[in-house]
Amino acid sequence: MIGLIDCNNFYVSCERVFQPRLEELPVGVLSNNDGCVIARSNELKALGVEMGTPAFELKALLQQGRIRLLSSNYELYGDMSARVQSVLEEFSAGVEPYSIDEMFVRFDGFGHDQLLAHCRELHCKVRRFTGIPVSVGVAPTRTLAKLANRAAKKVPAYRGVCVLSVGSTAMENLLRHTELGDIWGVGRRLVERLALMGIRSAWDLAQADPKEIRRRFSVTLERTALELRGIPCIEMNDADEPRQRIMTSRSFGKLTDNRAEIHEALRQFGQRGAEKLRGQDSLARAVYVFLKTNRHRPDLPQYSPGAVVELTRPTDDSREVLHAVSQAFAAIYRPHYRFMKAGVMLIDLIDANRQQMSLLDTHQSAAERERSEKLMATLDALNQRMGRGTVKLGMPSPNAAWHLRCANRSPRWSTRWPELPSAKAK
């Protein structure tokens, strides 16, 4: 059996863990640069605020004190996600993160009643140990686990935990009342095409001929149909599999043509990319740097260049990456253009433990690599222990244009020493 654990209103829930005064209030979390709503509490949903609503449209409600809007605090959310995962790992050896707020969990060897009790205990302990409310859906396949999780969240009778077994009345009722658009991986266009075949619910798709589905649509939809029958066909990608490229990019808080500030932003992105590179034991052979102006401002001149710099040797050393970033930036920067976004991508990655050494390598170059590895390991250890950004190459200007707008960001309670919550005696 496979479980899907979904953190309810995750970003808002993370904020409420450290700010209990936000409980039962309409709360929204905004995207980068405080642009639009990307997370909503149930109370905010009840006011009719849709996902993606621009922040300026909610200004009146905000000024009236009827809602609370917070800037996104991804460092906090990432740490809270890791804490939820650590609790889940106490209940199962197989935890597969699907997103920051969703994780698949393997449950093998349980009977139905025993599994239900086990999941109820999990449901309670995640809330008790992390403060994050979750919904638990369990079924023989990932697609059914998704539907079970949705039922656990929407149907009060399940009390946050839904366990489905093949052939059960509960499973049939759920499939009969689930629209095609609510099935994992079935988009609007597929819904319209399936409706022409008389397939309008999850139950209809489960009963359809899989070979016909494959012939008329795709092998992906065939697998979905089989999964709805309780036949496992979809495997998750290995979460530990290294990425083939590493991108770090941000939209700026405001448009800028300041060369020094843009260069500074790219250096910060390059350092973060090199950190991720070391985290997955990879080396990069090349660095790609790009800049973008705002194409939605036809009143401004447009210029969105990019350049690739090949590294002299595969590396994960932040200093070598930053040297390449500076080379690429010097080649593409032009004055009098106001840029809104920049990014650094590390490409052509290889496994650090399987790199091909050059026949021209000398004892001196080997010693240099060893010193580089020790230096980067020390830098990462300090940042991991004391908080990201404690040690960095170059200090960023505090008020540079490239910094994200986050006027209402809460403290990073669990990852920054100066921002730890404190209890004060009255």
Side-chain angles (χ1 to χ4, degrees):
M1 298 287 276
I2 298 171
L4 177 66
I5 286 69
D6 182 15
C7 301
N8 300 338
N9 306 322
F10 182 57
Y11 292 174
V12 172
S13 294
C14 290
E15 300 287 354
R16 284 174 166 172
V17 168
F18 296 96
Q19 302 180 79
R21 65 180 181 275
L22 297 177
E23 291 287 349
E24 299 183 3
L25 294 178
V27 179
V29 174
L30 301 174
S31 62
N32 286 344
N33 292 316
D34 295 344
C36 61
V37 175
I38 58 171
R40 304 164 295 161
S41 67
N42 290 333
E43 297 80 4
L44 192 64
K45 295 175 186 176
L47 291 177
V49 176
E50 299 291 335
M51 190 73 82
T53 301
F56 71 84
E57 292 185 7
L58 302 174
K59 190 174 181 180
L61 290 174
L62 191 62
Q63 291 175 338
Q64 294 167 14
R66 295 176 59 190
I67 64 174
R68 305 288 189 278
L69 294 180
L70 302 173
S71 302
S72 49
N73 190 344
Y74 294 113
E75 194 168 326
L76 172 66
Y77 308 151
D79 182 64
M80 295 302 291
S81 177
R83 292 177 183 224
V84 170
Q85 182 175 340
S86 69
V87 176
L88 298 183
E89 287 170 349
E90 296 180 11
F91 288 82
S92 171
V95 178
E96 303 171 356
Y98 176 61
S99 66
I100 193 171
D101 62 343
E102 292 179 283
M103 299 172 197
F104 285 106
V105 177
R106 296 181 183 276
F107 296 116
D108 299 319
F110 288 92
H112 182 276
D113 293 341
Q114 186 184 17
L115 180 56
L116 182 60
H118 186 73
C119 290
R120 290 204 182 282
E121 183 182 4
L122 178 154
H123 178 265
C124 292
K125 285 194 173 179
V126 170
R127 181 63 183 268
R128 186 188 311 163
F129 294 162
T130 69
I132 302 295
V134 298
S135 299
V136 182
V138 183
T141 70
R142 286 172 173 77
T143 302
L144 285 173
K146 274 272 193 178
L147 295 182
N149 185 280
R150 187 170 182 272
K153 186 178 297 186
K154 301 287 186 182
V155 181
Y158 283 117
R159 293 182 295 147
V161 179
C162 175
V163 179
L164 297 178
S165 54
V166 175
S168 66
T169 303
M171 177 174 160
E172 181 176 338
N173 287 338
L174 177 61
L175 293 179
R176 288 186 181 278
H177 290 89
T178 299
E179 298 179 359
L180 288 176
D182 294 326
I183 301 172
W184 185 29
V186 178
R188 179 178 56 82
R189 291 185 179 181
L190 274 177
V191 170
E192 295 171 353
R193 293 176 61 193
L194 287 166
L196 297 176
M197 296 175 59
I199 299 175
R200 293 181 173 80
S201 68
W203 176 258
D204 294 336
L205 183 56
Q207 301 307 304
D209 181 1
K211 292 182 179 179
E212 181 68 10
I213 293 294
R214 178 173 185 167
R215 186 182 69 82
R216 300 187 63 170
F217 296 93
S218 66
V219 65
T220 301
L221 189 59
E222 177 194 26
R223 289 172 181 165
T224 298
L226 291 172
E227 288 246 329
L228 291 173
R229 294 185 179 188
I231 303 171
C233 298
I234 299 174
E235 289 295 329
M236 297 301 298
N237 293 328
D238 186 351
D240 296 326
E241 183 179 345
R243 286 171 286 182
Q244 299 304 304
R245 60 186 63 185
I246 292 176
M247 166 77 86
T248 307
S249 68
R250 297 286 185 277
S251 294
F252 298 159
K254 56 185 177 181
L255 297 177
T256 180
D257 60 357
N258 187 301
R259 180 189 179 108
E261 289 186 347
I262 299 168
H263 189 199
E264 184 180 280
L266 288 169
R267 286 179 60 85
Q268 297 304 312
F269 300 161
Q271 288 187 69
R272 180 63 184 131
E275 188 178 297
K276 295 176 184 177
L277 193 66
R278 295 190 292 273
Q280 69 172 37
D281 286 330
S282 294
L283 303 175
R285 289 195 179 107
V287 176
Y288 171 65
V289 173
F290 69 86
L291 305 172
K292 290 186 182 295
T293 49
N294 188 346
R295 61 186 178 87
H296 299 295
R297 289 286 304 273
D299 57 313
L300 297 176
Q302 300 296 309
Y303 175 56
S304 298
V308 174
V309 173
E310 186 176 352
L311 297 162
T312 54
R313 64 182 179 88
T315 186
D316 61 5
D317 191 313
S318 296
R319 297 169 299 173
E320 296 179 39
V321 169
L322 293 189
H323 181 66
V325 167
S326 296
Q327 282 184 285
F329 176 63
I332 63 177
Y333 175 78
R334 299 289 182 273
H336 312 307
Y337 289 98
R338 301 180 67 188
F339 295 101
M340 65 162 289
K341 185 175 183 179
V344 174
M345 183 186 296
L346 305 182
I347 58 179
D348 201 4
L349 308 187
I350 63 171
D351 188 336
N353 300 310
R354 298 179 183 177
Q355 63 172 313
Q356 182 76 35
M357 297 299 182
S358 170
L359 293 174
L360 301 178
D361 274 1
T362 64
H363 176 74
Q364 182 179 0
S365 60
E368 289 174 356
R369 277 199 303 272
E370 186 176 351
R371 285 195 297 270
S372 169
E373 290 172 3
K374 288 182 178 178
L375 177 60
M376 293 300 109
T378 301
L379 186 149
D380 291 340
L382 286 170
N383 286 331
Q384 185 173 12
R385 182 178 179 184
M386 305 303 294
R388 184 186 299 165
T390 301
V391 182
K392 61 183 69 174
L393 302 176
M395 289 299 294
S397 305
N399 299 314
W402 61 270
H403 287 291
L404 294 177
R405 289 196 304 270
C406 47
N408 299 305
R409 190 191 66 199
S410 57
R412 291 156 291 190
W413 310 96
S414 60
T415 58
R416 301 282 179 135
W417 288 106
E419 300 177 27
L420 287 174
S422 59
K424 298 180 181 179
K426 294 183 178 180

